[in-house]
Amino acid sequence: MSALSHSAPLRPPVALLCVLALGCGPTIRHTLATNDQRHITYEDLCHLQSWYDHRTASHAPPFRVVDEQSTETAQREPDESGRLRHVELGEGTYLIASREDRLRFNQLLRSEYDNLPSMAITGPEGSVRVHVSFWQTGTIRRIRPDVDVTVEANGSRHVLPSHPCVGEFLFGEQAYAMRRNVLEAERARARGEIPAAYLGDASVGDVTDAAVAGDAP
């Protein structure tokens, strides 16, 4: 039978199918590239405040560090207290063990990426290892936008484009605790429970220079 017969329709090459599908691999659904990291945290663009509040209330332990290394650079950026410190660049692998955390991580990935493969990370048993590269000033750590994220689960390995919400999930505990404190203070001031001068003219956005100072280098 001829390859050009009507019973054997032509099929577009795989490369063309990938183009038509806007990419074969995982792609970012909601780009936050136009937002600096402080804005992402304090506008809660990753929708993680309630999850961090729950972790705090349940005394959930931090994610276990499987391996980690960092190097101090000559570049200086303000830390969370506004003091200039050398920027550290590093990378590490972090274990997400509890099913509750794995469910929330899966939800975050599904909301922020398209074309994700089946990762099988939400079962009753198992764990997830996430490898990222980061930069840090003081105690505030952020994911690097120029290095991919690797997710390992149940013997499979998946490489994803870097997304700031992955870093917020892994490293955001201190920043979101501070955000919660500022929100509660603002609400108390609005109810007249604390003097108006307590926060001055500060708002959640205004305190970011002190709380999560510095943008990614």
Side-chain angles (χ1 to χ4, degrees):
M1 180 182 294
S2 170
L4 297 179
S5 69
H6 293 294
S7 60
L10 291 175
R11 296 181 179 179
V14 172
L16 179 57
L17 289 174
C18 290
V19 171
L20 294 175
L22 300 179
C24 288
T27 57
I28 292 175
R29 176 179 295 178
H30 302 123
T31 179
L32 299 178
T34 58
N35 298 274
D36 66 39
Q37 193 69 51
R38 290 168 291 180
H39 181 77
I40 291 171
T41 300
Y42 281 91
E43 292 298 327
D44 196 16
L45 298 183
C46 300
H47 310 291
L48 290 172
Q49 183 68 67
S50 60
W51 177 72
Y52 269 114
D53 291 345
H54 174 71
R55 282 181 59 82
T56 299
S58 61
H59 305 287
F63 300 123
R64 184 165 70 84
V65 178
V66 178
D67 60 70
E68 184 177 273
Q69 58 184 351
S70 62
T71 302
E72 188 176 89
T73 70
Q75 184 171 347
R76 295 166 66 88
E77 293 282 345
D79 66 7
E80 63 275 15
S81 299
R83 295 188 298 268
L84 285 176
R85 293 181 180 269
H86 288 287
V87 174
E88 293 183 27
L89 297 180
E91 61 180 300
T93 302
Y94 307 92
L95 184 70
I96 304 176
S98 77
R99 186 166 188 251
E100 186 173 26
D101 288 339
R102 287 185 283 113
L103 285 169
R104 184 63 186 90
F105 185 60
N106 182 70
Q107 182 184 34
L108 181 143
L109 294 181
R110 298 293 165 184
S111 66
E112 300 300 336
Y113 290 91
D114 281 320
N115 303 326
L116 280 178
S118 175
M119 296 186 182
I121 64 178
T122 61
E125 297 182 359
S127 61
V128 177
R129 295 188 178 203
V130 184
H131 184 87
V132 298
S133 295
F134 61 83
W135 65 275
Q136 179 170 335
T137 55
T139 60
I140 299 300
R141 181 176 291 185
R142 301 297 191 188
I143 195 172
R144 286 181 56 175
D146 57 332
V147 183
D148 288 339
V149 172
T150 302
V151 178
E152 297 182 10
N154 298 316
S156 61
R157 182 175 181 271
H158 309 279
V159 178
L160 313 178
S162 177
H163 195 292
C165 288
V166 175
E168 294 287 276
F169 184 92
L170 293 174
F171 306 134
E173 181 177 2
Q174 179 178 339
Y176 280 88
M178 189 172 293
R179 181 181 187 273
R180 168 57 61 197
N181 290 338
V182 172
L183 285 173
E184 291 179 351
E186 287 185 336
R187 290 167 183 165
R189 182 177 66 172
R191 294 191 299 265
E193 297 174 2
I194 59 175
Y198 180 77
L199 290 178
D201 295 326
S203 66
V204 169
D206 295 331
V207 299
T208 57
D209 286 336
V212 193
D215 299 329

